[in-house]
Amino acid sequence: MTRRPLLIALAGSIAVPALTLHAQTTTDAPVRRDVPFVPTPDKVVAGMLKLANVGAKDVIYDLGSGDGRIVISAVKETGARGVGVDIDPQRISEARENAKQAGVSDRVKFIQGDLFKADIGDATVVSLYLLPDVNMKLRPKLLHDLKPGTRIVSHAFDMGDWKPKATEKVGNSTIYLWVVPEK
Ligand SMILES: C[S@@+](CC[C@H](N)C(=O)[O-])C[C@H]1O[C@@H](n2cnc3c(N)ncnc32)[C@H](O)[C@@H]1O
């Protein structure tokens, strides 16, 4: 597990307080993110989809979907359907535009909202690029809401004492796979 991508992201977010303040004092309500936006590199996206064995019958949810790249790539490369959830309206707009550019708008849905409150029961695959404590906070919901057999794939961060079924290195990144057990 490496915290380096997060540290880079946090350094980036500290660099733009003036912009954030401007947005908050004009029309936009402040967005309460649990994690900053840091995109997963394309090679790591491909590794996550492979590790989770995503195929045409899958419904993949990316919780904290950013610019939509994981869901869009899954749909484009495998024929799956996809849902992205992000709390930041700007990310949702970007993801919808990216889906349009990729020609997959009819098979993806991007929902603005809190991932902790998202309705994820029809997922067969869930992807995450969050933070260790956010993964841990999300773990009970994943175990409660997801069907047994659903695969969960995470970029960079594990789930504490829930041991992964598989881990893999892609470049400098580690990716993790779990399968939701029988209730
Ligand atoms: C590290 S980025 C990952 C983006 C994308 N999944 C990827 O791997 O390229 C985390 C994303 O989570 C979103 N996010 C943070 N807290 C959230 C929350 N409570 N509910 C939904 N999205 C959230 C952020 O806006 C950001 O886009």
Side-chain angles (χ1 to χ4, degrees):
M1 179 173 87
T2 170
R3 293 187 70 91
R4 195 175 304 147
L6 167 67
L7 294 175
I8 292 165
L10 288 176
S13 69
I14 289 164
V16 290
L19 286 178
T20 309
L21 185 64
H22 174 75
Q24 290 174 11
T25 52
T26 53
T27 51
D28 299 335
V31 177
R32 192 200 55 78
R33 291 178 203 82
D34 292 285
V35 187
F37 175 53
V38 184
T40 294
D42 291 344
K43 258 171 59 177
V44 180
V45 172
M48 292 168 81
L49 300 180
K50 192 163 167 229
L51 187 64
N53 196 23
V54 178
K57 291 186 179 156
D58 282 313
V59 181
I60 178 168
Y61 276 61
D62 187 22
L63 300 182
S65 49
D67 63 4
R69 60 183 57 209
I70 294 180
V71 161
I72 292 168
S73 181
V75 167
K76 239 180 120 169
E77 303 303 326
T78 73
R81 285 185 301 117
V83 180
V85 179
D86 205 290
I87 204 156
D88 187 336
Q90 193 188 333
R91 296 282 100 78
I92 293 293
S93 300
E94 284 168 11
R96 287 180 182 150
E97 182 54 34
N98 291 340
K100 205 161 128 192
Q101 296 296 327
V104 297
S105 297
D106 56 333
R107 285 184 292 139
V108 299
K109 196 158 65 177
F110 289 102
I111 299 167
Q112 192 212 330
D114 187 346
L115 61 90
F116 290 102
K117 297 182 185 151
D119 184 357
I120 58 172
D122 66 331
T124 59
V125 178
V126 171
S127 59
L128 309 172
Y129 182 23
L130 299 169
L131 283 170
D133 58 319
V134 182
N135 276 7
M136 289 307 286
K137 192 172 156 201
L138 186 60
R139 193 172 110 170
K141 174 178 172 68
L142 296 172
L143 287 167
H144 179 268
D145 291 4
L146 297 172
K147 298 180 286 280
T150 302
R151 292 96 79 202
I152 300 166
V153 64
S154 171
H155 175 191
F157 302 115
D158 66 16
M159 298 255 199
D161 62 0
W162 185 11
K163 294 291 165 227
K165 183 178 168 155
T167 64
E168 222 173 271
K169 282 290 263 187
V170 184
N172 291 326
S173 302
T174 304
I175 54 178
Y176 301 84
L177 175 75
W178 297 264
V179 178
V180 174
E182 293 296 330
K183 311 267 181 212

